Amino acid sequence: QNEKQYYSLSYASFVVPLVKSVQEQQKQINEQQRQIDKLSKENEELRSLKEKIDALQKAVLNLSTNE
C-alpha cells in the first residue's frame, strides 16, 4: 500500500472565475467613483449656494436694521 497521495489542481478552472470577479468588482468601483465625483460636485455647488444665501440674508438684515 502506497502511503503517498498526490493531488492535482486545475488552475485554469480557478483563474477564469477569479479574473471575471475582479473585472466585475472593478466595474462596480468605477461606477461608485463616478457617483462620488458627481455627488462631490453637487455638494460643492450647494455649499456655494448656501454661502450666497447667507450673504443675502446678512444684507437683508443690514437693510432692515438701517431703516
Side-chain angles (χ1 to χ4, degrees):
Q1 233 181 358
N2 187 354
E3 301 253 344
K4 291 184 180 181
Q5 292 183 357
Y6 295 97
Y7 297 95
S8 67
L9 185 61
S10 173
Y11 287 103
S13 64
F14 286 96
V15 172
V16 173
L18 288 174
V19 169
K20 287 185 179 187
S21 66
V22 169
Q23 288 172 338
E24 182 60 32
Q25 282 182 330
Q26 191 60 49
K27 286 180 187 177
Q28 291 175 357
I29 289 168
N30 292 341
E31 177 58 29
Q32 289 171 344
Q33 188 60 51
R34 280 191 290 274
Q35 290 175 353
I36 289 169
D37 293 343
K38 179 183 174 193
L39 291 172
S40 293
K41 182 179 177 185
E42 289 175 2
N43 188 38
E44 187 59 38
E45 290 170 357
L46 289 172
R47 286 178 190 259
S48 177
L49 289 173
K50 183 183 180 310
E51 288 175 6
K52 290 176 183 179
I53 290 170
D54 290 345
L56 287 172
Q57 286 176 333
K58 281 184 180 180
V60 168
L61 282 174
N62 286 338
L63 287 175
S64 64
T65 55
N66 287 339
E67 291 179 359

